[in-house]
Amino acid sequence: AQKITQTQPGMFVQEKEAVTLDCTYDTSDQSYGLFWYKQPSSGEMIFLIYQGSYDEQNATEGRYSLNFQKARKSANLVISASQLGDSAMYFCAMREFHSGGYQKVTFGTGTKLQVIP
Amino acid sequence: DAGVTQSPTHLIKTRGQQVTLRCSPKSGHDTVSWYQQALGQGPQFIFQYYEEEERQRGNFPDRFSGHQFPNYSSELNVNALLLGDSALYLCASSPPHRETQYFGPGTRLLVL
């Protein structure tokens, strides 16, 4: 089974509108972390936002917020007031702890967001 | 404060050759992870280095090996290159006891 599922291969959004990118995850761990990264065409992965499994409040970073629904195992990214520079691939990722303190990060297949002027 | 740096930026090799990719983590970061990202895919975890030891490994063959130096920089070595090894190789570093990984710009490897 996929550990991270992003069901939207591509999305369009009008400039200045909000958009939600979906992410569901699968883990039996109690302690885990969820990330969103942005990857422009240049290739660099840019960290956007992080949510820990024990965090009760949804994470927010500027125009980015993470809608964390633990019981449904979803961690959707909400981008408010979209800008042309938001056009990129967006990846959801999950960090799981293993014995010995090892961390493994698993990425989804990504969603390509295009912002329309 | 310099971010994660990787070298070279681009590389072309032929099948059967060997390649070494390099990564310097952000200042203060002690953990380095390597990922392979094929075209149109998400990054796949190769391995992670901490205190100069490999402490976690993904589903990659032994042709993929690495090293971490006392200054926390790291190398990824790939032997007996295959066409399927063509990808963007990303290095990520993280600070002590923190969750977030910061990525470098990657090395684009093309195997002909």
Side-chain angles (χ1 to χ4, degrees):
Chain A
Q2 293 283 347
K3 290 217 171 214
I4 296 287
T5 302
Q6 294 181 253
T7 57
Q8 305 153 314
M11 290 278 288
F12 289 92
V13 64
Q14 203 76 33
E15 193 178 6
K16 300 181 184 177
E17 298 292 314
V19 63
T20 297
L21 306 184
D22 294 340
C23 172
T24 57
Y25 60 92
D26 181 28
T27 182
S28 56
D29 290 352
Q30 295 300 310
S31 177
Y32 53 90
L34 297 155
F35 302 82
W36 278 92
Y37 285 88
K38 172 184 178 181
Q39 188 176 42
S41 56
S42 60
E44 185 167 358
M45 300 286 281
I46 301 168
F47 166 73
L48 296 178
I49 197 165
Y50 169 78
Q51 178 88 39
S53 58
Y54 292 117
D55 295 339
E56 294 187 356
Q57 301 278 347
N58 284 343
T60 60
E61 292 282 352
R63 295 186 299 111
Y64 305 107
S65 61
L66 197 153
N67 184 1
F68 182 46
Q69 297 187 42
K70 194 170 183 177
R72 298 178 63 179
K73 294 189 175 180
S74 75
N76 298 340
L77 176 70
V78 180
I79 305 175
S80 62
S82 296
Q83 302 172 355
L84 295 178
D86 294 335
S87 295
M89 283 290 289
Y90 288 81
F91 289 96
C92 178
M94 175 172 64
R95 169 190 55 79
E96 295 172 288
F97 279 118
H98 297 260
S99 60
Y102 305 158
Q103 296 182 30
K104 179 179 177 180
V105 179
T106 305
F107 283 79
T109 53
T111 295
K112 184 172 184 178
L113 177 67
Q114 295 189 61
V115 181
I116 304 167
Chain B
D1 177 28
V4 180
T5 60
Q6 292 185 242
S7 63
T9 56
H10 295 81
L11 204 51
I12 300 175
K13 291 286 189 179
T14 56
R15 282 180 298 174
Q17 286 189 311
Q18 178 265 344
V19 68
T20 297
L21 310 182
R22 296 176 176 81
C23 172
S24 291
K26 278 174 70 75
S27 177
H29 289 196
D30 61 357
T31 302
V32 173
S33 301
W34 286 92
Y35 294 84
Q36 180 195 66
Q37 186 178 19
L39 196 63
Q41 303 292 319
Q44 298 291 316
F45 175 76
I46 302 175
F47 42 52
Q48 183 179 83
Y49 276 85
Y50 172 70
E51 292 188 342
E52 302 180 51
E53 291 190 0
E54 180 186 300
R55 67 173 186 178
Q56 183 72 0
R57 189 178 185 92
N59 295 325
F60 280 80
D62 292 343
R63 298 187 297 109
F64 290 77
S65 63
H67 189 76
Q68 186 179 34
F69 299 93
N71 67 352
Y72 307 121
S73 66
S74 177
E75 289 181 350
L76 164 65
N77 300 292
V78 186
N79 294 323
L81 284 167
L82 303 174
L83 297 180
D85 295 331
S86 296
L88 176 67
Y89 288 84
L90 294 163
C91 167
S93 71
S94 49
H97 315 298
R98 297 294 297 273
E99 298 83 5
T100 302
Q101 294 186 334
Y102 294 86
F103 283 80
T107 294
R108 293 189 185 274
L109 172 65
L110 177 62
V111 182
L112 300 176

